[in-house]
Amino acid sequence: MRGDSVMVTNFGAFRRVRRERRSARNPQTGGRVTVPARNVVDFRVAPPFRRPGT
């Protein structure tokens, strides 16, 4: 991957964010599980689409 973000003018920006390893709970068994680290996509909306006060 060449860059970590993609900007779409007047729409928003997508960027890659690293989520670290964490522990979670299995809702069926109640047991603890480890969720591995991974890259996820984050989106930030451009100013023309933002609602006032948010």
Side-chain angles (χ1 to χ4, degrees), residues 15-36:
R15 67 181 180 148
R16 183 177 64 169
V17 177
R18 179 81 174 164
R19 288 217 179 137
E20 298 301 324
R21 185 180 71 207
R22 63 186 174 90
S23 63
R25 188 180 64 84
N26 181 332
Q28 285 187 332
T29 65
R32 292 297 230 182
V33 294
T34 300
V35 179

Side-chain angles (χ1 to χ4, degrees), residues 1-48:
M1 182 173 203
R2 281 180 32 199
D4 288 335
S5 64
V6 175
M7 181 88 164
V8 181
T9 305
N10 292 327
F11 182 67
F14 296 91
R15 67 181 180 148
R16 183 177 64 169
V17 177
R18 179 81 174 164
R19 288 217 179 137
E20 298 301 324
R21 185 180 71 207
R22 63 186 174 90
S23 63
R25 188 180 64 84
N26 181 332
Q28 285 187 332
T29 65
R32 292 297 230 182
V33 294
T34 300
V35 179
R38 62 180 59 197
N39 291 316
V40 296
V41 177
D42 181 48
F43 177 73
R44 299 290 169 110
V45 68

